[in-house]
Amino acid sequence: MTNTVHQGAAAIATRVRHPHFQGLVTDAATAVARIQDGDTVAISGFASAGTPKAFAPALAERIRRVRAGGGKLSVNLLTGASVAGEAESTLAEVDGVALRMPYQSEPTARGKINDGRMDYVDIHLSHVAQQVWEGYYGDVDVAVVEVAAITEDGKLVPSMSVGNNKTWLEVADKVILEVNSWVPLDVEGMHDVYYGTALPPARKPIMLTRPADRIGQQYLEVDPAKVVAVVPTDEQDSETSVAAPDAISQAIAGHVVEFFRHEVELGRLPAAGLLPLQAGIGNVANAVLGGLAEGPFTGLTCYSEVIQDSMLDLIRQGTVAHASATSLALSRTGLAELVDNIDLYREHVTLRPQEISNHPEIVRRLGIIGMNGMLEADIYGNVNSTHVGGTRIMNGIGGSGDFTRNGYVSMFLSPSTARNGAVSAIVPMVPHVDHTEHDVQVIVTEHGLADLRGLSPRKRAPLIVDRCADPAFRPMLHDYLDRATARPGAGNTPHILEEALSFHTRLAATGSMLE
């Protein structure tokens, strides 16, 4: 592997096929020398895929040198969602990021944010492009975007994610392109980049009616005058860690599949293909998708943010006909499978900009079944998916709100406990709300599934406790609910305000939510 220009002229010419861009080939250190203190830098990458490989190490080294000489250098960092962990940690370790937006999932950066040493703006992923266009974050000084190749006519072949790359290339004052020769050239044709979005009042309908529809073009575009450097790299995407399904995730998957069967019997889901599926990142979501291979459903489609290993399995088996996303978040095995069988997956996978993959109106029109993870839910169905103890950020809301608020069915999946049973995922009141009871329709743990649709708060609460809470916590939750309901003037959503966060205060004091 190499991040230098020493790959040879022939190798570079295969990937950089336009003379103008060939004249801009340089190394990463030279490229990042253009980045100045206080710059807003937007980089490619969504989940583990498509993060620039040479950028973070080169910028971190530049920051060290500048500071050693008594200077200052840090940037505001904008991304599609999370990026490769090593890139995030490399910049966080040198305090190189002053502001981060819109999503992160790396422990070093998380610690800086929670200690108040890095500003963090957590927004819905579908909102990022519009907010940047509107100037909420000031000018974007530099965009650093990984691509698979530059064509003879100057078009950019996207790599393993699209994310916000279209927007970054349009709004940035200067552009650095990383051309990664690890990405198979056969990825060309997998992407659908739509250039028809606009700000109000010029916005028009987006004519996408099926996950397999293609409404754009295969390539990204860039003004050649903006491009200041082309950096050749040859490095594999970071791997997404995916654990083998355990008993808990398999039980959750079983409840979800049974729910789908029941909905088909009631006529609320079509037997042929259900409706398009969306699943968040993680072991539980991966296991749920894997469980569909054993169910009775065929001809399935996916309209989501990311494609994980289990989705490749479903495509290869013929269970999934088409999967649309903005990124490929794969394990080492999944990456090898993708590369080895790229022709198959190019036919059955479409990668889009995230403002399309997460577009609320498209999600509503297609009737997406949204399945996302959570930290905790309360007895009335409010969900906290981001903040431990209500104050310390864990990851970010990501795209879960885009699919929860707008989906045909919104589901939240989680083990019922954490920390070896000391923490309950079902609590009297969540100390931070990402998804309100108005948007959350179904909650699933290994113990069961609570379908909250059509139920008042007073009827939701006992169902959530009995179906989803761990048995060790059910007596405590029922006791709280009974006493709250019995209070004079208990109201539509009964609470004992002085006790509502008692599970969390007890956890902070003793290390356990159990009495």
Side-chain angles (χ1 to χ4, degrees):
M1 296 182 186
T2 178
N3 290 329
T4 73
V5 297
H6 304 302
Q7 295 181 38
I12 292 173
T14 300
R15 296 283 175 158
V16 184
R17 302 194 287 267
H18 189 283
H20 173 76
F21 293 102
Q22 289 172 355
L24 298 174
V25 172
T26 187
D27 59 30
T30 302
V32 301
R34 298 175 177 273
I35 296 174
Q36 304 300 316
D37 183 48
D39 276 358
T40 294
V41 179
I43 69 171
S44 60
F46 194 110
S48 55
T51 305
K53 309 302 187 291
F55 159 74
L59 181 58
E61 180 58 30
R62 172 165 159 73
I63 289 170
R64 292 187 190 97
R65 290 200 310 270
V66 168
R67 290 182 182 163
K72 294 171 52 183
L73 179 55
S74 65
V75 301
N76 301 321
L77 185 65
L78 314 183
T79 64
S82 60
V83 292
E86 57 268 28
E88 191 96 63
S89 63
T90 296
L91 293 176
E93 286 166 359
V94 296
D95 290 316
V97 179
L99 177 143
R100 183 74 174 83
M101 189 279 289
Y103 185 94
Q104 59 74 43
S105 60
E106 193 278 322
T108 306
R110 182 187 305 137
K112 303 276 186 181
I113 292 165
N114 285 321
D115 290 344
R117 290 183 287 168
M118 183 191 300
D119 285 338
Y120 176 55
V121 183
D122 184 21
I123 66 172
H124 300 295
L125 296 187
S126 67
H127 292 179
V128 176
Q130 177 171 305
Q131 290 192 8
V132 170
W133 271 108
E134 294 283 14
Y136 292 8
Y137 303 91
D139 294 335
V140 176
D141 299 289
V142 181
V144 186
V145 175
E146 180 186 89
V147 297
I150 304 174
T151 68
E152 291 82 356
D153 58 354
K155 299 291 180 65
L156 309 179
V157 179
S159 62
M160 296 297 195
S161 70
V162 181
N164 275 317
N165 296 350
K166 167 186 167 290
T167 298
W168 301 156
L169 294 167
E170 289 175 320
V171 302
D173 294 333
K174 296 187 288 289
V175 172
I176 297 170
L177 297 175
E178 285 199 11
V179 182
N180 188 354
S181 58
W182 169 81
V183 181
L185 285 172
D186 288 336
V187 76
E188 187 171 349
M190 183 179 284
H191 310 89
D192 184 57
V193 184
Y194 180 65
Y195 276 90
T197 54
L199 296 174
R203 188 169 283 160
K204 297 179 180 179
I206 298 171
M207 302 309 292
L208 194 156
T209 59
R210 300 177 306 146
D213 285 350
R214 288 180 172 268
I215 59 173
Q217 61 187 44
Q218 297 179 9
Y219 306 103
L220 291 161
E221 298 179 356
V222 65
D223 179 356
K226 288 185 176 185
V227 180
V228 296
V230 174
V231 179
T233 66
D234 182 15
E235 190 169 336
Q236 177 181 299
D237 273 336
S238 294
E239 304 158 15
T240 295
S241 176
V242 178
D246 59 13
I248 290 176
S249 59
Q250 288 177 328
I252 293 171
H255 296 313
V256 172
V257 171
E258 183 56 36
F259 171 78
F260 290 158
R261 286 195 184 101
H262 182 66
E263 291 295 288
V264 168
E265 290 174 2
L266 293 176
R268 293 196 287 231
L269 288 176
L274 299 176
L275 286 170
L277 303 171
Q278 176 265 335
I281 298 175
N283 294 327
V284 172
N286 197 57
V288 169
L289 291 176
L292 292 170
E294 302 174 7
F297 310 111
T298 59
L300 298 175
T301 58
C302 168
Y303 194 85
S304 191
E305 300 170 324
V306 297
I307 290 173
Q308 292 188 254
D309 286 30
S310 56
M311 186 60 67
L312 297 188
D313 295 338
L314 293 172
I315 291 171
R316 190 175 61 254
Q317 296 162 11
T319 303
V320 166
H322 201 87
S324 169
T326 193
S327 179
L328 297 154
L330 303 171
S331 69
R332 177 187 293 270
T333 301
L335 285 169
E337 166 65 22
L338 178 79
V339 172
D340 290 345
N341 296 287
I342 191 67
D343 290 342
L344 169 68
Y345 296 115
R346 190 178 59 247
E347 293 181 15
H348 296 277
V349 170
T350 301
L351 297 181
R352 312 178 188 278
Q354 72 187 64
E355 62 181 315
I356 303 300
S357 70
N358 289 54
H359 197 288
E361 191 273 332
I362 297 175
V363 171
R364 175 66 62 88
R365 178 163 7 100
L366 296 184
I368 304 300
I369 300 171
M371 299 179 287
N372 288 284
M374 66 180 188
L375 295 178
E376 58 189 353
D378 68 26
I379 57 176
Y380 296 111
N382 299 289
V383 165
N384 171 18
S385 60
T386 61
H387 282 73
V388 175
T391 61
R392 297 187 65 81
I393 192 76
M394 186 65 181
N395 296 312
I397 195 168
S400 59
D402 300 324
F403 294 96
T404 298
R405 178 68 182 89
N406 302 289
Y408 180 74
V409 179
S410 60
M411 309 176 72
F412 280 89
L413 323 173
S414 174
S416 64
T417 62
R419 298 189 195 177
N420 296 317
V423 175
S424 175
I426 307 299
V427 296
M429 177 184 282
V430 290
H432 176 90
V433 179
D434 292 293
H435 311 283
T436 75
E437 60 178 294
H438 310 289
D439 301 328
V440 178
Q441 298 178 344
V442 179
I443 295 175
V444 192
T445 71
E446 72 273 24
H447 298 297
L449 181 148
D451 185 351
L452 310 179
R453 295 172 297 177
L455 300 182
S456 67
R458 287 176 180 248
K459 290 186 177 177
R460 284 179 165 219
L463 185 68
I464 292 172
V465 173
D466 289 335
R467 296 280 181 86
C468 299
D470 188 83
F473 287 94
R474 287 178 194 169
M476 300 163 58
L477 291 164
H478 274 301
D479 175 68
Y480 174 87
L481 179 59
D482 291 344
R483 289 185 294 112
T485 304
R487 279 191 158 194
N492 183 55
T493 307
H495 269 301
I496 307 170
L497 292 182
E498 60 271 25
E499 296 183 28
L501 297 178
S502 60
F503 278 40
H504 298 87
T505 55
R506 188 159 52 246
L507 176 65
T510 69
S512 174
M513 288 184 175
L514 289 166
E515 291 178 325

Short mmCIF file of all heavy atoms in Angstrom, two decimals, residues 196-251:
data_model
loop_
_atom_site.label_atom_id
_atom_site.label_comp_id
_atom_site.label_asym_id
_atom_site.label_seq_id
_atom_site.Cartn_x
_atom_site.Cartn_y
_atom_site.Cartn_z
N GLY A 196 -30.63 17.24 -9.50
CA GLY A 196 -31.84 18.04 -9.64
C GLY A 196 -32.34 18.70 -8.38
O GLY A 196 -33.41 19.32 -8.39
N THR A 197 -31.61 18.60 -7.27
CA THR A 197 -32.08 19.23 -6.04
C THR A 197 -31.86 20.74 -6.09
O THR A 197 -30.98 21.24 -6.79
CB THR A 197 -31.34 18.67 -4.82
OG1 THR A 197 -29.92 18.79 -5.02
CG2 THR A 197 -31.69 17.21 -4.60
N ALA A 198 -32.68 21.47 -5.35
CA ALA A 198 -32.58 22.92 -5.29
C ALA A 198 -33.14 23.39 -3.95
O ALA A 198 -33.81 22.63 -3.24
CB ALA A 198 -33.35 23.57 -6.44
N LEU A 199 -32.85 24.62 -3.61
CA LEU A 199 -33.40 25.21 -2.39
C LEU A 199 -34.76 25.81 -2.67
O LEU A 199 -35.04 26.23 -3.80
CB LEU A 199 -32.45 26.28 -1.86
CG LEU A 199 -31.05 25.79 -1.43
CD1 LEU A 199 -30.18 26.98 -1.07
CD2 LEU A 199 -31.14 24.81 -0.27
N PRO A 200 -35.62 25.88 -1.65
CA PRO A 200 -36.91 26.56 -1.85
C PRO A 200 -36.68 28.01 -2.25
O PRO A 200 -35.71 28.63 -1.81
CB PRO A 200 -37.56 26.47 -0.46
CG PRO A 200 -36.85 25.34 0.23
CD PRO A 200 -35.46 25.35 -0.30
N PRO A 201 -37.51 28.58 -3.10
CA PRO A 201 -38.76 28.04 -3.65
C PRO A 201 -38.60 27.33 -4.99
O PRO A 201 -39.59 27.08 -5.67
CB PRO A 201 -39.59 29.30 -3.81
CG PRO A 201 -38.59 30.35 -4.22
CD PRO A 201 -37.33 30.03 -3.44
N ALA A 202 -37.37 26.99 -5.37
CA ALA A 202 -37.15 26.39 -6.69
C ALA A 202 -37.19 24.86 -6.65
O ALA A 202 -36.93 24.21 -7.65
CB ALA A 202 -35.80 26.84 -7.23
N ARG A 203 -37.51 24.31 -5.50
CA ARG A 203 -37.48 22.86 -5.34
C ARG A 203 -38.57 22.19 -6.19
O ARG A 203 -39.69 22.67 -6.24
CB ARG A 203 -37.64 22.51 -3.86
CG ARG A 203 -37.44 21.06 -3.53
CD ARG A 203 -37.37 20.88 -2.02
NE ARG A 203 -36.05 21.29 -1.53
CZ ARG A 203 -35.79 21.61 -0.26
NH1 ARG A 203 -36.77 21.62 0.63
NH2 ARG A 203 -34.58 21.94 0.10
N LYS A 204 -38.21 21.05 -6.81
CA LYS A 204 -39.14 20.30 -7.64
C LYS A 204 -39.25 18.86 -7.14
O LYS A 204 -38.36 18.37 -6.43
CB LYS A 204 -38.68 20.31 -9.10
CG LYS A 204 -38.65 21.69 -9.72
CD LYS A 204 -38.16 21.63 -11.16
CE LYS A 204 -38.14 23.03 -11.78
NZ LYS A 204 -37.63 22.98 -13.19
N PRO A 205 -40.32 18.14 -7.52
CA PRO A 205 -40.45 16.74 -7.11
C PRO A 205 -39.28 15.89 -7.61
O PRO A 205 -38.75 16.12 -8.70
CB PRO A 205 -41.76 16.29 -7.76
CG PRO A 205 -42.53 17.55 -7.98
CD PRO A 205 -41.51 18.60 -8.27
N ILE A 206 -38.88 14.93 -6.80
CA ILE A 206 -37.83 13.99 -7.16
C ILE A 206 -38.51 12.72 -7.65
O ILE A 206 -39.21 12.04 -6.89
CB ILE A 206 -36.91 13.70 -5.96
CG1 ILE A 206 -36.22 15.00 -5.53
CG2 ILE A 206 -35.89 12.63 -6.29
CD1 ILE A 206 -35.45 14.89 -4.23
N MET A 207 -38.33 12.39 -8.90
CA MET A 207 -39.11 11.35 -9.55
C MET A 207 -38.51 9.96 -9.33
O MET A 207 -38.06 9.27 -10.25
CB MET A 207 -39.26 11.66 -11.04
CG MET A 207 -39.90 13.02 -11.34
SD MET A 207 -41.46 13.28 -10.44
CE MET A 207 -42.49 12.06 -11.26
N LEU A 208 -38.50 9.55 -8.09
CA LEU A 208 -38.01 8.23 -7.72
C LEU A 208 -39.16 7.48 -7.07
O LEU A 208 -39.67 7.91 -6.03
CB LEU A 208 -36.81 8.36 -6.78
CG LEU A 208 -35.95 7.11 -6.54
CD1 LEU A 208 -34.55 7.51 -6.10
CD2 LEU A 208 -36.56 6.20 -5.49
N THR A 209 -39.59 6.38 -7.66
CA THR A 209 -40.77 5.67 -7.17
C THR A 209 -40.49 4.23 -6.77
O THR A 209 -41.35 3.57 -6.21
CB THR A 209 -41.89 5.66 -8.24
OG1 THR A 209 -41.40 5.02 -9.43
CG2 THR A 209 -42.31 7.10 -8.57
N ARG A 210 -39.28 3.74 -7.06
CA ARG A 210 -38.87 2.40 -6.66
C ARG A 210 -37.40 2.45 -6.24
O ARG A 210 -36.62 3.25 -6.78
CB ARG A 210 -39.01 1.39 -7.81
CG ARG A 210 -40.41 1.21 -8.37
CD ARG A 210 -40.36 0.24 -9.55
NE ARG A 210 -39.36 0.71 -10.53
CZ ARG A 210 -38.62 -0.12 -11.26
NH1 ARG A 210 -38.74 -1.43 -11.15
NH2 ARG A 210 -37.75 0.38 -12.14
N PRO A 211 -36.97 1.60 -5.31
CA PRO A 211 -35.56 1.63 -4.90
C PRO A 211 -34.58 1.43 -6.04
O PRO A 211 -33.46 1.94 -5.99
CB PRO A 211 -35.48 0.47 -3.90
CG PRO A 211 -36.84 0.39 -3.31
CD PRO A 211 -37.77 0.69 -4.45
N ALA A 212 -34.98 0.71 -7.09
CA ALA A 212 -34.05 0.45 -8.21
C ALA A 212 -34.04 1.56 -9.24
O ALA A 212 -33.23 1.52 -10.18
CB ALA A 212 -34.42 -0.88 -8.88
N ASP A 213 -34.92 2.56 -9.11
CA ASP A 213 -34.96 3.63 -10.11
C ASP A 213 -33.63 4.39 -10.16
O ASP A 213 -33.01 4.65 -9.12
CB ASP A 213 -36.07 4.63 -9.78
CG ASP A 213 -37.45 4.10 -10.12
OD1 ASP A 213 -37.53 3.04 -10.77
OD2 ASP A 213 -38.44 4.73 -9.71
N ARG A 214 -33.24 4.77 -11.35
CA ARG A 214 -32.06 5.62 -11.53
C ARG A 214 -32.52 6.94 -12.14
O ARG A 214 -33.12 6.95 -13.21
CB ARG A 214 -31.02 4.93 -12.41
CG ARG A 214 -30.34 3.77 -11.70
CD ARG A 214 -29.31 3.09 -12.57
NE ARG A 214 -28.56 2.11 -11.79
CZ ARG A 214 -27.42 2.36 -11.15
NH1 ARG A 214 -26.88 3.57 -11.23
NH2 ARG A 214 -26.80 1.42 -10.47
N ILE A 215 -32.26 8.01 -11.46
CA ILE A 215 -32.76 9.32 -11.86
C ILE A 215 -31.65 10.32 -12.14
O ILE A 215 -31.90 11.46 -12.49
CB ILE A 215 -33.71 9.89 -10.79
CG1 ILE A 215 -32.98 10.02 -9.45
CG2 ILE A 215 -34.94 9.02 -10.64
CD1 ILE A 215 -33.78 10.73 -8.37
N GLY A 216 -30.39 9.88 -11.97
CA GLY A 216 -29.27 10.80 -12.13
C GLY A 216 -28.25 10.27 -13.12
O GLY A 216 -28.58 9.75 -14.17
N GLN A 217 -26.98 10.40 -12.75
CA GLN A 217 -25.87 9.98 -13.61
C GLN A 217 -24.89 9.16 -12.80
O GLN A 217 -24.94 9.13 -11.57
CB GLN A 217 -25.19 11.20 -14.22
CG GLN A 217 -24.59 12.16 -13.20
CD GLN A 217 -24.08 13.44 -13.83
OE1 GLN A 217 -24.73 14.04 -14.66
NE2 GLN A 217 -22.88 13.86 -13.42
N GLN A 218 -23.97 8.51 -13.49
CA GLN A 218 -23.03 7.61 -12.83
C GLN A 218 -21.87 8.34 -12.16
O GLN A 218 -21.16 7.74 -11.35
CB GLN A 218 -22.47 6.61 -13.84
CG GLN A 218 -23.50 5.69 -14.46
CD GLN A 218 -22.89 4.75 -15.48
OE1 GLN A 218 -21.66 4.66 -15.61
NE2 GLN A 218 -23.73 4.04 -16.21
N TYR A 219 -21.69 9.61 -12.46
CA TYR A 219 -20.47 10.30 -12.08
C TYR A 219 -20.74 11.54 -11.23
O TYR A 219 -21.81 12.15 -11.30
CB TYR A 219 -19.70 10.73 -13.33
CG TYR A 219 -19.43 9.60 -14.28
CD1 TYR A 219 -20.20 9.46 -15.45
CD2 TYR A 219 -18.45 8.65 -14.03
CE1 TYR A 219 -19.98 8.42 -16.33
CE2 TYR A 219 -18.22 7.60 -14.90
CZ TYR A 219 -18.99 7.48 -16.04
OH TYR A 219 -18.78 6.44 -16.90
N LEU A 220 -19.72 11.91 -10.45
CA LEU A 220 -19.68 13.20 -9.80
C LEU A 220 -19.01 14.21 -10.74
O LEU A 220 -18.17 13.83 -11.56
CB LEU A 220 -18.88 13.13 -8.50
CG LEU A 220 -19.50 12.33 -7.35
CD1 LEU A 220 -18.43 11.95 -6.33
CD2 LEU A 220 -20.62 13.11 -6.69
N GLU A 221 -19.37 15.47 -10.58
CA GLU A 221 -18.78 16.52 -11.40
C GLU A 221 -18.02 17.51 -10.51
O GLU A 221 -18.39 17.72 -9.35
CB GLU A 221 -19.88 17.27 -12.17
CG GLU A 221 -20.64 16.39 -13.15
CD GLU A 221 -21.73 17.15 -13.88
OE1 GLU A 221 -21.94 18.34 -13.57
OE2 GLU A 221 -22.37 16.55 -14.77
N VAL A 222 -16.99 18.10 -11.05
CA VAL A 222 -16.24 19.11 -10.34
C VAL A 222 -15.71 20.13 -11.34
O VAL A 222 -15.36 19.80 -12.48
CB VAL A 222 -15.07 18.48 -9.54
CG1 VAL A 222 -14.03 17.86 -10.47
CG2 VAL A 222 -14.43 19.50 -8.60
N ASP A 223 -15.69 21.37 -10.92
CA ASP A 223 -15.07 22.43 -11.73
C ASP A 223 -13.56 22.25 -11.68
O ASP A 223 -12.95 22.34 -10.60
CB ASP A 223 -15.46 23.79 -11.14
CG ASP A 223 -14.85 24.96 -11.89
OD1 ASP A 223 -14.04 24.73 -12.82
OD2 ASP A 223 -15.16 26.11 -11.52
N PRO A 224 -12.91 21.96 -12.80
CA PRO A 224 -11.46 21.72 -12.77
C PRO A 224 -10.67 22.86 -12.16
O PRO A 224 -9.60 22.63 -11.57
CB PRO A 224 -11.11 21.53 -14.25
CG PRO A 224 -12.38 21.08 -14.90
CD PRO A 224 -13.48 21.81 -14.16
N ALA A 225 -11.19 24.08 -12.26
CA ALA A 225 -10.46 25.22 -11.73
C ALA A 225 -10.37 25.19 -10.20
O ALA A 225 -9.50 25.83 -9.61
CB ALA A 225 -11.13 26.52 -12.18
N LYS A 226 -11.27 24.46 -9.56
CA LYS A 226 -11.25 24.35 -8.10
C LYS A 226 -10.22 23.34 -7.60
O LYS A 226 -9.79 23.41 -6.45
CB LYS A 226 -12.62 23.90 -7.58
CG LYS A 226 -13.74 24.90 -7.65
CD LYS A 226 -14.95 24.28 -6.98
CE LYS A 226 -16.12 25.24 -6.90
NZ LYS A 226 -17.24 24.64 -6.14
N VAL A 227 -9.88 22.38 -8.42
CA VAL A 227 -9.04 21.28 -7.97
C VAL A 227 -7.59 21.75 -7.86
O VAL A 227 -6.99 22.20 -8.84
CB VAL A 227 -9.16 20.07 -8.91
CG1 VAL A 227 -8.27 18.92 -8.42
CG2 VAL A 227 -10.61 19.61 -9.02
N VAL A 228 -7.04 21.63 -6.66
CA VAL A 228 -5.68 22.11 -6.41
C VAL A 228 -4.68 20.98 -6.28
O VAL A 228 -3.47 21.21 -6.32
CB VAL A 228 -5.63 23.00 -5.15
CG1 VAL A 228 -6.47 24.25 -5.35
CG2 VAL A 228 -6.09 22.23 -3.91
N ALA A 229 -5.17 19.74 -6.09
CA ALA A 229 -4.25 18.61 -5.94
C ALA A 229 -5.00 17.31 -6.22
O ALA A 229 -6.18 17.18 -5.91
CB ALA A 229 -3.65 18.58 -4.54
N VAL A 230 -4.27 16.36 -6.78
CA VAL A 230 -4.76 14.99 -6.97
C VAL A 230 -3.75 14.07 -6.29
O VAL A 230 -2.57 14.05 -6.67
CB VAL A 230 -4.90 14.63 -8.46
CG1 VAL A 230 -5.27 13.16 -8.62
CG2 VAL A 230 -5.94 15.54 -9.12
N VAL A 231 -4.20 13.34 -5.28
CA VAL A 231 -3.32 12.50 -4.47
C VAL A 231 -3.62 11.03 -4.75
O VAL A 231 -4.71 10.56 -4.41
CB VAL A 231 -3.49 12.80 -2.97
CG1 VAL A 231 -2.58 11.90 -2.13
CG2 VAL A 231 -3.20 14.27 -2.69
N PRO A 232 -2.71 10.29 -5.36
CA PRO A 232 -2.94 8.85 -5.56
C PRO A 232 -2.81 8.09 -4.24
O PRO A 232 -1.90 8.36 -3.44
CB PRO A 232 -1.84 8.43 -6.52
CG PRO A 232 -1.27 9.70 -7.07
CD PRO A 232 -1.47 10.73 -6.00
N THR A 233 -3.72 7.16 -4.00
CA THR A 233 -3.62 6.25 -2.86
C THR A 233 -3.94 4.84 -3.33
O THR A 233 -4.44 4.63 -4.44
CB THR A 233 -4.60 6.64 -1.72
OG1 THR A 233 -5.94 6.46 -2.18
CG2 THR A 233 -4.40 8.07 -1.28
N ASP A 234 -3.63 3.89 -2.48
CA ASP A 234 -3.91 2.48 -2.79
C ASP A 234 -4.14 1.77 -1.47
O ASP A 234 -3.27 1.08 -0.95
CB ASP A 234 -2.75 1.86 -3.55
CG ASP A 234 -3.02 0.40 -3.94
OD1 ASP A 234 -4.20 -0.01 -3.87
OD2 ASP A 234 -2.06 -0.30 -4.28
N GLU A 235 -5.32 1.97 -0.90
CA GLU A 235 -5.56 1.48 0.45
C GLU A 235 -7.02 1.06 0.62
O GLU A 235 -7.93 1.77 0.21
CB GLU A 235 -5.21 2.58 1.47
CG GLU A 235 -5.19 2.11 2.89
CD GLU A 235 -4.59 3.14 3.83
OE1 GLU A 235 -3.79 3.98 3.36
OE2 GLU A 235 -4.94 3.11 5.02
N GLN A 236 -7.20 -0.09 1.23
CA GLN A 236 -8.53 -0.65 1.46
C GLN A 236 -9.33 0.22 2.41
O GLN A 236 -8.78 0.85 3.31
CB GLN A 236 -8.38 -2.05 2.05
CG GLN A 236 -9.69 -2.73 2.42
CD GLN A 236 -9.45 -4.11 3.02
OE1 GLN A 236 -8.90 -4.98 2.38
NE2 GLN A 236 -9.85 -4.29 4.27
N ASP A 237 -10.65 0.25 2.21
CA ASP A 237 -11.53 0.89 3.17
C ASP A 237 -11.40 0.23 4.54
O ASP A 237 -11.08 -0.97 4.65
CB ASP A 237 -13.00 0.76 2.73
CG ASP A 237 -13.43 1.88 1.80
OD1 ASP A 237 -12.81 2.96 1.83
OD2 ASP A 237 -14.39 1.67 1.03
N SER A 238 -11.66 0.99 5.57
CA SER A 238 -11.70 0.43 6.91
C SER A 238 -12.81 -0.61 7.00
O SER A 238 -13.85 -0.49 6.34
CB SER A 238 -11.96 1.53 7.94
OG SER A 238 -10.88 2.42 7.99
N GLU A 239 -12.58 -1.59 7.83
CA GLU A 239 -13.58 -2.64 8.01
C GLU A 239 -14.57 -2.25 9.09
O GLU A 239 -14.22 -1.63 10.09
CB GLU A 239 -12.88 -3.95 8.41
CG GLU A 239 -11.81 -4.40 7.43
CD GLU A 239 -10.80 -5.32 8.07
OE1 GLU A 239 -11.09 -5.84 9.17
OE2 GLU A 239 -9.73 -5.52 7.47
N THR A 240 -15.82 -2.61 8.88
CA THR A 240 -16.83 -2.47 9.92
C THR A 240 -16.89 -3.77 10.71
O THR A 240 -17.01 -4.85 10.12
CB THR A 240 -18.21 -2.19 9.30
OG1 THR A 240 -18.15 -0.92 8.64
CG2 THR A 240 -19.30 -2.14 10.37
N SER A 241 -16.78 -3.66 12.01
CA SER A 241 -16.80 -4.85 12.85
C SER A 241 -18.22 -5.40 12.93
O SER A 241 -19.15 -4.68 13.32
CB SER A 241 -16.28 -4.50 14.25
OG SER A 241 -16.38 -5.63 15.10
N VAL A 242 -18.39 -6.64 12.55
CA VAL A 242 -19.70 -7.30 12.61
C VAL A 242 -19.53 -8.62 13.36
O VAL A 242 -18.80 -9.51 12.90
CB VAL A 242 -20.28 -7.57 11.21
CG1 VAL A 242 -21.61 -8.29 11.31
CG2 VAL A 242 -20.44 -6.26 10.44
N ALA A 243 -20.17 -8.72 14.52
CA ALA A 243 -20.10 -9.95 15.30
C ALA A 243 -21.10 -10.97 14.78
O ALA A 243 -22.14 -10.61 14.20
CB ALA A 243 -20.39 -9.65 16.78
N ALA A 244 -20.78 -12.23 14.96
CA ALA A 244 -21.73 -13.29 14.59
C ALA A 244 -22.99 -13.13 15.44
O ALA A 244 -22.91 -12.77 16.63
CB ALA A 244 -21.10 -14.65 14.83
N PRO A 245 -24.16 -13.35 14.86
CA PRO A 245 -25.40 -13.20 15.62
C PRO A 245 -25.39 -14.06 16.89
O PRO A 245 -25.09 -15.25 16.83
CB PRO A 245 -26.48 -13.66 14.64
CG PRO A 245 -25.88 -13.46 13.29
CD PRO A 245 -24.42 -13.73 13.46
N ASP A 246 -25.68 -13.42 18.03
CA ASP A 246 -25.79 -14.18 19.28
C ASP A 246 -27.25 -14.48 19.56
O ASP A 246 -28.14 -14.14 18.77
CB ASP A 246 -25.13 -13.42 20.43
CG ASP A 246 -25.74 -12.04 20.67
OD1 ASP A 246 -26.83 -11.75 20.10
OD2 ASP A 246 -25.15 -11.25 21.41
N ALA A 247 -27.52 -15.11 20.71
CA ALA A 247 -28.89 -15.53 21.03
C ALA A 247 -29.81 -14.33 21.14
O ALA A 247 -30.99 -14.40 20.75
CB ALA A 247 -28.89 -16.33 22.33
N ILE A 248 -29.30 -13.21 21.68
CA ILE A 248 -30.14 -12.04 21.86
C ILE A 248 -30.53 -11.44 20.51
O ILE A 248 -31.71 -11.16 20.25
CB ILE A 248 -29.43 -11.00 22.75
CG1 ILE A 248 -29.35 -11.50 24.19
CG2 ILE A 248 -30.14 -9.65 22.69
CD1 ILE A 248 -28.58 -10.60 25.12
N SER A 249 -29.54 -11.22 19.63
CA SER A 249 -29.86 -10.62 18.33
C SER A 249 -30.71 -11.56 17.49
O SER A 249 -31.59 -11.11 16.74
CB SER A 249 -28.58 -10.24 17.59
OG SER A 249 -27.75 -11.36 17.38
N GLN A 250 -30.51 -12.86 17.62
CA GLN A 250 -31.34 -13.82 16.90
C GLN A 250 -32.78 -13.79 17.40
O GLN A 250 -33.72 -13.90 16.60
CB GLN A 250 -30.76 -15.22 17.02
CG GLN A 250 -29.49 -15.42 16.21
CD GLN A 250 -28.88 -16.78 16.40
OE1 GLN A 250 -28.99 -17.39 17.46
NE2 GLN A 250 -28.23 -17.29 15.37
N ALA A 251 -32.95 -13.61 18.72
CA ALA A 251 -34.31 -13.53 19.26
C ALA A 251 -35.01 -12.26 18.75
O ALA A 251 -36.19 -12.30 18.39
CB ALA A 251 -34.26 -13.54 20.79
#
